[in-house]
Every structure is written in structure tokens, then in C-alpha cells.
Amino acid sequence: MNKELLKKIFLPFIVLVLVIQVWTGIASIVEDFPTPSDTYVAAFGGINADGDEIIGVLEDPFYIENQDVKGLFWQIMESLKRVFAGFSLAILVGVPFGLMLGMSKSAQYAFDPFIQIFKPISPLAWLPLLLFIFQDINMTAISTIFITSIWPIIINTALGVKSVSEDYMNVAKVLRFTAFEKIVQIILPVSVPYIFTGMRLSLGIAWLVIVAAEMLTGGIGIGFWIWDEYNNLNYHNIIIGIIVVGLVGYLLDLIMGKISDYFDYTKKGRA
Amino acid sequence: MSEKFLSLENIEKRFPIPGKDDYVAVTDVNLEIKENEIISIIGHSGCGKSTLLNMISGLDAQTSGSIKLQENEIQGPGPDRAVVFQNHSLLPWLSVYENIEMAVKKVMPELDAAELRQRVETYISMVNLDHAKDKAPGEISGGMKQRVGIARALSITPKVLLMDEPFGALDSLTRANLQEHLMRIQQKVKNTVIIITHDIDEAVLLSDRVIMMTNGPDATIGEILEVNLDRPRNRVELQHDPEYIRCREAILSFLYEKFAKDDE
Ligand SMILES: Nc1ncnc2c1ncn2[C@@H]1O[C@H](COP(=O)(O)OP(=O)(O)O)[C@@H](O)[C@H]1O
Ligand SMILES: [Mg+2]
């Protein structure tokens, strides 16, 4: 047991050392590629290889110079805001829509072909069209995330509804539940774990997509920041950006996982 | 009690089969059930027992014939005919208490909070589950779940209690235990009960009459056996009771001589 724990800490540490070795190797081959220590200094501040004093980007992520120049924290916040706006909208539309698809065979026949076609389209393919419609960076990013998030939510919600067993519906019939009571007391509780699975998938993809979307729309956001640092030849900041994006994504998934476990009656769930 | 309580007249059920003639599951079923009578329906699997019960519960409509409860034609399912399903069908996200509460709340909306609570607790006590009332269905044994199912069905004071092989999925000891529960409850609060079983001892032990069904297709009532045993019944003493032995033999002979089925 304790040995397992040691392994869990020690083995990733070895991999980390290996990754840094490979990274150092690449830095020595590719010209101007930031070394791990350069990147560390760029992140947390200190003296870089050229002997210059540097303030790290993670040292003061909260600074605001002006409307367009803000610290990393604000860039991340801006991206998260867009993700949550689009994601929430997708839940608001996707869950009722999924419920309808799951409950009505006709609705399913009517919409299924379109869902199957729209689902595999990269959300970024919509971006130029959305930009044209809204003529606004923020709206474009939010609606791109909306389109990204909605498919897994619809599909999983419908799946949840279909997983409601005949027996539960028979109980509802014997008790003469109204349609509304059936939805609230039977269908939703069964579907909730499925809906959360859909939401977790959606949020994961949304976080993937927002970075790319912001590179295209520009303005603000972590995606834009990474692209901007490329234009400024601050290659070490690109690496910092990538790592931060990964950490935030991991955190989002962790939180979403905890929330979905909480609502899932099959995993303790019951308060 | 001479009043007609539950009556089935000329019941037939056909299942349409695409590209073929309908499958006639049961036909020509005529049956009168008295109030507070315990009836069991026995027959080989696939003979149409569930089909018959589903028509009484209203979950499935008969193709022709009439089913009347106290002179009223049955229209779809309703709480006057509570069902105990074979796989208990408790809602797994609700506790034992909440499962029963949900049913009582819906059927008796006029109860105030205290009355509701009292009613739910009465029925939980009736099946001796006071200690488990806050547990989730996933945390209790199969026999206990089935007891909750029975409590839930009885809590809405149905006119008829319908049970489709309620103990079929349980081991024989648990099964015996539930049979005792059912007989004890029946002694206290009289109910009209229709119970499907394929267990001969269970049929004799529990019922006033045993309905024996022929094999499908075109299954119908083959024989009706009256069980003239006093209550309360004791399963151990019954083993040597001539009436018990006569009933057992009658069912055995019906199932394995007159209407034997090879593929069982
Ligand atoms: N929905 C259905 N469609 C077609 N055939 C059915 C349907 N339900 C039951 N049957 C057939 O009717 C017969 C009786 O079934 P059932 O009532 O479930 O038997 P059991 O006596 O085992 O409960 C079986 O042969 C079964 O295959
Ligand atoms: Mg059956």
C-alpha cells in the first residue's frame, strides 16, 4: 500500500526528468529553442542565460497594464469566461433537446441524421461564418464553444433517457404519473449521470477548442496570448502557455468529475 | 362477499407478428375472483401468465374480452391494482423510505406531512424494515428489496395486489421467509392477491385457489384447484396434511402429466 504510493510519486518524477532531458536535447538542436532553465526563469523570474534580470510571467499574473496588455491570469479568466458562457448555453439548449430526442421516436428520426452530420465537423470550421454573423470576437468565441459543447450533451442526454428501464416506467404508469412527473421523478434522475458524462466530455473539448479559436479571433484569451508570444518571438512563453493550458484543463476535468460523481446515484451520490 | 369483485370474461390476447398470423398467447379466459381471495396462477414458462397479469394491471390491453373490477371496466393501469414486479423495480436513487413515500404522496395527496410520515412508517414496519428505511435499494439484499416492493404496493391500499413471480429471483430460504411475511400481512390486513408462480409449494401454501394454465399458444385455464386449508398455515405441519398433499399432487399431475412441456 505504502509502496504503491511511493511508486505513484517516484515514477512520474523519473518521467519528468526524462522529459526535461529530451527537451534539453531539442533545445540544443533547434536554434533559439528555449531551454528548460530559460523557460523556468521566464516563468518564475530570475537571471537568464544572457545574465539579464527577468520578471517571470507567473510571478505577477494579475498585472493590468492597459486594456490589451494583461497578465496571464486575466488571459486564462477571459478564456474560461467564454468557455463557461458557451458551455452553459449548450447545457440550457442541449439538455431539453436531448430529453426530447430520447422520449420521442419521431423527434429522433427527424433530427438524428443532422446530428450525425454536424457532430464530426470541427467547431473551428464554423468560426469564419460565426465571425461574419456576429462581427464580434467575444460572441464568435462563445458561439463556437456552444457548437462544440452541444453535441455530446444532446447525445448523452438522449442516451440517458433511453436507458430508463421499462420497469420504472411501469411503476410510474401504475401510480398514474403525469408526463411532467415522469420527467422529473423518473427520467431526469436516471439521465443525470449520462448528462454529466456528456458535460464532462463537452467541457474537455471546449477547452481544447477555445485555445485554437482565440488564436484565430485574436484580442484576448490564453490562445491569443500564446499566438502573440510567438509573434513576439517569446518562445519560452509558448511553452509556459502550453503547460498552463494543460494544468487548467486537468483542473476543469477534475472539478467536473467530482460534480458528476456527486449527482450520480450509482456512485454513492446520495447526500 | 358474494358481490362480483374482479371478473375476467372471454379474455384473449394476440401479439401481432410481422408477416405472419398473430400469436394467440391466451384465449377464452374466464375467471371470477372474490374479494380478499388469494389466487395463484401457475403454468409452464411462456404460457401467458405475465400476459394475463399485465392485462389485469392494465399495463397491456387485452385484444378482446372484458376485465371488470367491482363492475367497472378496467381502463389502463391505476393505483387500485398495485403491482409487485419480479425485479422489485425500486427507484435506486431513492431510499427505502422515499420509495414508499413517493407512491403514497402521489396516490393520497390529501395527507398532511405527519399522516404521510406515519403511513410510510407503518408499511415499512409491516415488512420489518425499520432498521433499513434510510438505506438505498443498492445497499439491501434481494429479499429486503422485494419486501420494500410489497410495502410500496400495499401502502397505497390497492383493491388488488398483483405479483408476477415476486420471489422468483430469490434463493429458497429467502423465498420461504417472504412467503411467511406475505401470509402474516394477509392475516392482519386482508387483500385480494393474484400471485404468479411456478413453484408448486408456494402456490399451495399461499393460495385459496390455484389457477392452472395450459401451454401456449392458445393458452387458457386448464383447471382450478381449491385449497381447503385453514389459516394461519404452517409450512412444516402442512407437509403431512392430506389436503396439502392432495393439492400438490393435483398440480404436479396437471403440469407434468396432462400438460407436460419437453423443453423445461
Ligand atoms: N410483446 C410480445 N410480443 C410477442 N409475443 C409476446 C409478447 N409478450 C409475450 N409474448 C409471447 O406470449 C407468450 C406468453 O408470454 P408470458 O406471458 O410472458 O409468459 P409467462 O407465462 O412465462 O409469463 C410467450 O410465448 C411470449 O413469447
Ligand atoms: Mg412471466
Side-chain angles (χ1 to χ4, degrees):
Chain A
M1 191 57 215
N2 232 338
K3 220 172 141 191
E4 283 296 296
L5 191 69
L6 261 172
K7 273 190 189 171
K8 274 189 177 169
I9 297 166
F10 186 64
L11 294 178
F13 183 74
I14 294 180
V15 174
L16 180 68
V17 170
L18 282 175
V19 167
I20 290 174
Q21 287 305 314
V22 173
W23 179 358
T24 311
I26 294 172
S28 69
I29 297 165
V30 182
E31 205 182 335
D32 287 340
F33 198 95
T35 62
S37 56
D38 272 351
T39 310
Y40 180 87
V41 170
F44 300 104
I47 310 288
N48 73 0
D50 303 331
D52 299 329
E53 173 97 42
I54 300 261
I55 299 171
V57 284
L58 297 180
E59 246 183 322
D60 183 16
F62 302 106
Y63 83 91
I64 300 178
E65 197 172 296
N66 59 46
Q67 194 60 30
D68 298 320
V69 182
K70 289 182 182 176
L72 200 54
F73 173 81
W74 302 110
Q75 307 288 344
I76 298 269
M77 280 317 280
E78 210 55 42
S79 302
L80 283 176
K81 263 196 253 168
R82 289 163 170 172
V83 163
F84 279 109
F87 178 66
S88 310
L89 225 58
I91 294 169
L92 242 52
V93 177
V95 170
F97 196 76
L99 287 177
M100 183 184 77
L101 282 194
M103 285 189 281
S104 152
K105 265 255 153 24
S106 310
Q108 195 201 332
Y109 291 147
F111 290 105
D112 200 52
F114 300 98
I115 292 174
Q116 297 308 328
I117 292 168
F118 281 123
K119 187 183 59 168
I121 299 173
S122 165
L124 295 171
W126 292 94
L127 199 136
L129 192 65
L130 295 167
L131 197 57
F132 167 71
I133 295 171
F134 292 112
Q135 306 277 335
D136 174 86
I137 290 170
N138 221 14
M139 285 300 289
T140 303
I142 291 172
S143 49
T144 304
I145 294 305
F146 171 79
I147 294 175
T148 306
S149 310
I150 197 154
W151 309 116
I153 292 176
I154 290 178
I155 291 166
N156 279 279
T157 305
L159 198 71
V161 175
K162 284 204 210 104
S163 76
V164 174
S165 90
E166 192 65 33
D167 296 320
Y168 300 159
M169 288 326 272
N170 282 341
V171 172
K173 281 184 200 158
V174 168
L175 294 173
R176 292 224 175 105
F177 274 12
T178 61
F180 180 73
E181 285 169 329
K182 276 183 198 163
I183 293 177
V184 173
Q185 299 203 43
I186 312 272
I187 294 173
L188 269 179
V190 175
S191 314
V192 157
Y194 291 82
I195 295 173
F196 274 96
T197 303
M199 282 163 63
R200 196 171 170 182
L201 279 171
S202 285
L203 191 60
I205 309 170
W207 188 243
L208 289 180
V209 166
I210 192 67
V211 175
E214 286 170 344
M215 285 184 178
L216 294 169
T217 58
I220 192 166
I222 183 68
F224 162 74
W225 186 83
I226 291 175
W227 191 247
D228 201 40
E229 294 308 291
Y230 168 76
N231 287 331
N232 298 339
L233 312 180
N234 289 331
Y235 302 127
H236 34 70
N237 282 357
I238 297 177
I239 295 174
I240 295 167
I242 289 171
I243 294 170
V244 168
V245 166
L247 289 176
V248 172
Y250 173 64
L251 217 65
L252 283 180
D253 191 60
L254 211 66
I255 294 167
M256 201 61 219
K258 285 271 179 270
I259 296 175
S260 72
D261 281 355
Y262 179 81
F263 284 102
D264 187 347
Y265 66 87
T266 61
K267 298 189 188 122
K268 84 171 172 58
R270 308 178 36 74
Chain B
M1 288 246 289
S2 60
E3 160 207 22
K4 274 192 181 176
F5 189 67
L6 178 63
S7 64
L8 283 69
E9 284 168 34
N10 298 318
I11 301 299
E12 179 165 287
K13 178 69 187 181
R14 296 165 171 269
F15 290 109
I17 297 173
K20 281 202 225 155
D21 289 344
D22 290 355
Y23 180 83
V24 182
V26 293
T27 183
D28 202 23
V29 171
N30 288 282
L31 184 63
E32 291 283 339
I33 295 165
K34 293 188 278 287
E35 190 164 13
N36 298 338
E37 198 177 13
I38 304 188
I39 295 280
S40 58
I41 301 176
I42 198 164
H44 291 289
S45 97
C47 74
K49 304 181 293 292
S50 296
T51 304
L52 195 59
L53 200 82
N54 287 344
M55 290 188 286
I56 300 173
S57 70
L59 288 170
D60 202 358
Q62 66 269 26
T63 313
S64 65
S66 125
I67 303 176
K68 288 195 180 118
L69 179 59
Q70 292 179 317
E71 306 293 337
N72 294 317
E73 191 71 37
I74 279 172
Q75 304 281 350
D80 54 346
R81 285 152 288 131
V83 186
V84 175
F85 300 91
Q86 172 164 13
N87 45 3
H88 67 78
S89 18
L90 301 179
L91 306 181
W93 54 91
L94 298 180
S95 68
V96 165
Y97 182 93
E98 290 163 337
N99 262 284
I100 298 172
E101 183 189 48
M102 166 208 69
V104 177
K105 231 186 202 163
K106 172 64 188 168
V107 178
M108 304 170 181
E110 69 280 1
L111 297 185
D112 66 33
E115 291 167 329
L116 175 68
R117 177 161 202 94
Q118 207 201 329
R119 183 168 191 94
V120 175
E121 280 177 350
T122 305
Y123 284 89
I124 290 178
S125 302
M126 192 177 278
V127 290
N128 294 349
L129 282 176
D130 307 73
H131 60 285
K133 69 175 178 164
D134 294 320
K135 294 214 164 120
E139 298 168 331
I140 59 178
S141 70
M144 286 161 84
K145 279 183 228 177
Q146 211 48 288
R147 271 147 69 191
V148 181
I150 293 170
R152 181 175 65 184
L154 291 176
S155 68
I156 54 175
T157 45
K159 291 177 181 154
V160 187
L161 179 64
L162 304 169
M163 309 173 98
D164 191 348
E165 302 195 22
F167 314 140
L170 305 172
D171 64 89
S172 55
L173 287 179
T174 311
R175 202 179 170 108
N177 175 282
L178 284 214
Q179 291 160 355
E180 296 298 332
H181 270 286
L182 197 64
M183 288 195 290
R184 183 177 48 75
I185 293 168
Q186 184 66 9
Q187 284 300 114
K188 253 198 292 188
V189 279
K190 294 276 185 235
N191 285 294
T192 309
V193 183
I194 303 177
I195 176 166
I196 291 180
T197 178
H198 51 224
D199 182 313
I200 295 169
D201 286 297
E202 183 168 279
V204 180
L205 181 69
L206 296 179
S207 355
D208 300 317
R209 281 192 295 160
V210 180
I211 313 295
M212 292 177 260
M213 287 187 67
T214 62
N215 297 329
D218 303 313
T220 188
I221 296 176
E223 282 175 32
I224 298 183
L225 174 79
E226 298 242 3
V227 182
N228 297 307
L229 291 168
D230 293 336
R231 293 179 190 271
R233 296 174 180 173
N234 178 311
R235 72 177 65 236
V236 182
E237 287 165 14
L238 282 180
Q239 295 304 318
H240 305 290
D241 189 304
E243 171 67 2
Y244 184 84
I245 294 168
R246 177 190 74 85
C247 292
R248 270 195 106 243
E249 279 172 358
I251 302 174
L252 269 171
S253 131
F254 180 90
L255 289 179
Y256 298 106
E257 285 167 10
K258 296 174 203 160
F259 292 95
K261 218 178 162 198
D262 326 317
D263 56 350
E264 268 206 0

